[in-house]
Amino acid sequence: MRMSKQLIFDLPVETGFGREDYFVSPANQLAVGSVADWQNWANGRLVLTGQTGSGKTHLLSIWAKDLDAEVLSSDEVTLWRPKAFARPIAIDGLSQSVDEDALFLMLNHLQAQELPVMITALKDVAFLGLSLPDLISRLDGSSKVTLNAVDDTLLSAVFLKLMTDRQLVCAPDVAIYALTRVERSLDTVKKLVDRLDHLSLQKKKAVTKHLVGEVLGDL
């Protein structure tokens, strides 16, 4: 894949939700808009799907912070109990291991209290392997949106933002070299920059293709 210098250094991106570290691109703009429109979610729920590294957890975290939502993993659903101070709920990484009865009761309670619920998952509800019909019906009645695979614009923007945050500088050809070889995942790009920062300080060297190659070999 060829990536142009213009794409790397003249990015038509914007920040989302007032967070300087979250960029909107064609890959995620539909999902970002759906999350922002939480007052209009079907039955007060949104199921956000997407592959690993697409940014689901980041987007869920921003929403949860804005609404002071309680964040739970799939396995923590079974521990949830209604509280005097009712809060929205964010479930990160819904999977087949979830306590289906507990989740069903949670969704019913929150809908009755008119409290929104945001859920992330790798797969659509139909392919999660859930077995409780009433729960499947509740989830099917939710708004749904998918985070598309990371595109060049988003990958480049995140890479440059992370490099700038760490006061790391590299030549355009080095940035292109890195971004055309790294796994197309936001998590992996973050690991790449973290290790470049560490190795650059350790060896007291600038970020070069050779340094990038060392880190990519480890990743």
Side-chain angles (χ1 to χ4, degrees):
M1 180 185 69
R2 185 177 180 181
M3 186 173 291
S4 69
K5 294 181 181 179
Q6 182 179 3
L7 181 59
I8 300 291
F9 291 96
D10 186 18
L11 296 170
V13 297
E14 56 186 321
T15 56
F17 295 85
R19 305 291 191 269
E20 292 183 357
D21 57 348
Y22 196 90
F23 294 89
V24 179
S25 82
N28 63 18
Q29 61 185 3
L30 178 61
V32 169
S34 296
V35 171
D37 193 33
W38 61 269
Q39 290 101 331
N40 294 313
W41 291 349
N43 298 305
R45 298 186 293 269
L46 176 73
V47 179
L48 174 67
T49 56
Q51 60 187 239
T52 300
S54 59
K56 299 187 302 297
T57 296
H58 192 165
L59 196 49
L60 176 138
S61 298
I62 291 172
W63 179 83
K65 185 175 181 179
D66 285 348
L67 273 73
D68 190 30
E70 183 176 358
V71 181
L72 304 171
S73 68
S74 190
D75 292 337
E76 290 171 334
V77 167
T78 190
L79 304 174
W80 179 87
R81 296 291 184 275
K83 300 175 178 65
F85 173 59
R87 299 168 64 188
I89 295 292
I91 302 173
D92 192 20
L94 181 65
S95 68
Q96 189 178 12
S97 68
V98 71
D99 183 330
E100 296 187 38
D101 290 314
L103 180 56
F104 176 68
L105 292 174
M106 173 195 287
L107 296 182
N108 284 346
H109 175 80
L110 294 172
Q111 185 172 347
Q113 297 296 315
E114 298 185 344
L115 291 168
V117 183
M118 180 175 171
I119 299 170
T120 68
L122 285 172
K123 301 176 182 178
D124 184 80
V125 173
F127 304 103
L128 279 178
L130 302 176
S131 59
L132 187 63
D134 287 339
L135 173 61
I136 294 171
S137 176
R138 290 290 185 278
L139 292 172
D140 276 338
S142 308
S143 292
K144 300 177 184 177
V145 68
T146 298
L147 263 176
N148 296 320
V150 177
D151 60 10
D152 290 345
T153 300
L154 185 56
L155 198 71
S156 302
V158 170
F159 177 77
L160 287 177
K161 175 63 167 59
L162 294 174
M163 291 284 284
T164 300
D165 286 347
R166 291 160 179 76
Q167 297 183 324
L168 292 173
V169 178
C170 66
D173 63 315
V174 176
I176 295 169
Y177 177 86
L179 290 171
T180 53
R181 287 164 175 78
V182 72
E183 177 186 323
R184 302 182 68 75
S185 156
L186 299 184
D187 292 338
T188 305
V189 168
K190 291 173 184 176
K191 291 178 183 177
L192 169 64
V193 176
D194 284 341
R195 296 188 186 183
L196 283 174
D197 188 22
H198 176 76
L199 200 57
S200 176
L201 288 171
Q202 184 183 62
K203 296 192 172 186
K204 298 181 179 179
K205 291 183 178 180
V207 178
T208 61
K209 288 183 181 180
H210 179 74
L211 201 71
V212 171
E214 284 190 55
V215 173
L216 289 175
D218 291 338
L219 288 176

